[in-house]
Amino acid sequence: MTVLVTGGAGYIGGHMVLALLDAGEKAVVLDDLSTGFRSAVRPPAKLIVGDFGDMALVETILREHEIDAIAHFAAKIVVPESVADPLRYYLNNTAKSRNLLECAVRHKIKHFIFSSTAAVYGEPEVNPVSETAALAPINPYGRSKLMTEWMLQDASHAHGLDYVILRYFNVAGADPKGRLGQSTPQATHLIKIAVQAALGFRPGLDVFGADYPTRDGTCIRDYIQVTDLVAAHLMALDYLRKGGESLICNCGYGTGFSVFEVIDVVKQVSGVDFNVRISGRRAGDPASLVAGAERIKSVLGWAPKYDDLPAIAGQALDWERHLHNKSKAESVLVRNSAAR
């Protein structure tokens, strides 16, 4: 059987495709390439360029490729952008996911893995936050994801669509084998921005708020390495195929680092003391989000292998150098071709 991976040409979805192929699974990727890259989809995975909300296209894929499971990564993910343009987020993350779910139900897909977010918790009263904590998202991104969680749960009750919802904390790093990393030029991930500043690709880094009620005034987040994260997805798929009941799990390490602490780690790993500017708070940013990860360990048997922030920063640094060198080589080829 085959796994349909929506958003499989992107950062996390692309790592999922690599993990599926490494495990001997078949994968079909559906991605509109708005933020993804063709090069992220390695053979023999098949890339279909299109919109995951296009029901006719999705139904054709489900019918023609013997899909038995869907791993749904495709989404808009930038919190400040969601505050500025909420309807775009409700269209992409919620309305289109509803279409995808209808297709899954029509074609009797039994297993659905959903890429959700810790943003569904909003400002938790206690950190680390457990899956049973109150759900009170404070931005449209988190609300758009929570709505999809609700739709998936309701579809499961009505139609027998088994699911695992994985609530991500902050994803970082790159494939340890150097095959893939965060490639979006304007990505808003803190570690990516910091390594770009360290390499001189940015004039510096802005810290959005240093007056939060945290140990140093900056936001605290739980940074999970991307390969560890996709390993949880493979375990979730195996769990469902073996008859496991629908499940919601946090994906994080249970350790929080402040923005200043992350910056210091990147400076140490890179050996560069880049410029840091303090700016005002961004709308929709909670002060602290740290994962309670007991459930994913006890139920899925997940055990992280890459829980090391300096190593994660080093992976991101190496990948950013790779992207820069690749871009330079491609520019030389273009100039040489034009000169002929």
Side-chain angles (χ1 to χ4, degrees):
M1 303 300 284
T2 304
V3 180
L4 172 61
V5 183
T6 70
Y11 173 41
I12 305 172
H15 281 84
M16 177 64 172
V17 174
L18 286 177
L20 286 167
L21 297 180
D22 287 347
E25 296 273 357
K26 295 180 181 178
V28 172
V29 171
L30 176 59
D31 198 301
D32 66 4
L33 300 183
S34 59
T35 56
F37 300 86
R38 289 181 183 273
S39 59
V41 182
R42 302 294 181 93
K46 178 178 178 62
L47 171 63
I48 298 172
V49 179
D51 190 330
F52 74 93
D54 181 342
M55 294 178 69
L57 175 59
V58 171
E59 291 197 353
T60 298
I61 294 170
L62 297 181
R63 185 172 56 249
E64 294 183 353
H65 293 280
E66 297 185 328
I67 304 297
D68 79 312
I70 297 173
H72 181 30
F73 294 88
K76 302 295 182 188
I77 63 170
V78 182
V79 168
E81 183 182 71
S82 81
V83 175
D85 193 359
L87 295 182
R88 183 184 183 203
Y89 274 65
Y90 293 127
L91 170 62
N92 193 84
N93 294 0
T94 310
K96 290 183 180 181
S97 292
R98 179 255 169 230
N99 289 356
L100 180 66
L101 286 172
E102 180 172 339
C103 292
V105 168
R106 284 185 185 177
H107 288 263
K108 296 180 170 50
I109 302 299
K110 290 299 182 184
H111 311 311
F112 198 103
I113 300 172
F114 177 51
S115 165
S116 192
T117 172
V120 300
Y121 297 118
E123 292 270 13
E125 294 183 2
V126 177
N127 276 291
V129 58
S130 77
E131 294 87 350
T132 59
L135 303 176
I138 61 173
N139 53 62
Y141 167 59
R143 294 189 188 107
S144 71
K145 287 286 196 171
L146 181 55
M147 289 178 186
T148 301
E149 286 195 15
W150 288 339
M151 289 191 297
L152 180 52
Q153 292 173 63
D154 290 341
S156 176
H157 292 148
H159 305 291
L161 176 62
D162 294 329
Y163 63 82
V164 174
I165 293 169
L166 296 173
R167 292 174 178 161
Y168 303 174
F169 285 66
N170 281 48
V171 188
D175 172 47
K177 297 179 181 179
R179 296 173 294 178
L180 194 61
Q182 171 53 270
S183 301
T184 306
Q186 300 305 316
T188 59
H189 300 64
L190 172 60
I191 291 178
K192 181 178 179 70
I193 292 171
V195 300
Q196 287 177 332
L199 293 170
F201 305 154
R202 290 175 179 264
L205 182 152
D206 290 305
V207 173
F208 296 102
D211 58 350
Y212 285 93
T214 60
R215 54 181 173 262
D216 63 14
T218 65
C219 291
I220 291 175
R221 297 291 184 267
D222 189 337
Y223 293 86
I224 179 171
Q225 200 272 351
V226 63
T227 303
D228 274 343
L229 177 64
V230 298
H233 290 71
L234 288 189
M235 290 179 174
L237 179 61
D238 183 62
Y239 166 85
L240 290 176
R241 285 175 171 169
K242 289 179 177 176
E245 295 182 354
S246 293
L247 180 68
I248 300 173
C249 290
N250 289 335
C251 293
Y253 293 144
T255 304
F257 294 91
S258 74
V259 173
F260 282 153
E261 288 167 345
V262 171
I263 291 170
D264 286 344
V265 166
V266 173
K267 286 183 175 182
Q268 291 167 15
V269 170
S270 66
V272 178
D273 186 14
F274 51 86
N275 185 40
V276 176
R277 302 174 293 267
I278 308 300
S279 300
R281 293 187 183 189
R282 296 184 302 190
D285 277 347
S288 183
L289 274 176
V290 179
E294 292 77 15
R295 181 182 291 178
I296 194 170
K297 293 176 181 177
S298 63
V299 179
L300 295 186
W302 180 74
K305 296 180 179 179
Y306 302 102
D307 181 4
D308 183 312
L309 188 61
I312 291 170
Q315 293 165 0
L317 193 69
D318 289 344
W319 182 254
E320 208 61 39
R321 288 194 184 101
H322 164 78
L323 290 177
H324 180 67
N325 292 337
K326 180 182 176 184
S327 178
K328 284 175 60 178
E330 289 172 349
S331 296
V332 170
L333 285 174
V334 169
R335 288 197 301 271
N336 290 343
S337 297
R340 290 193 183 103

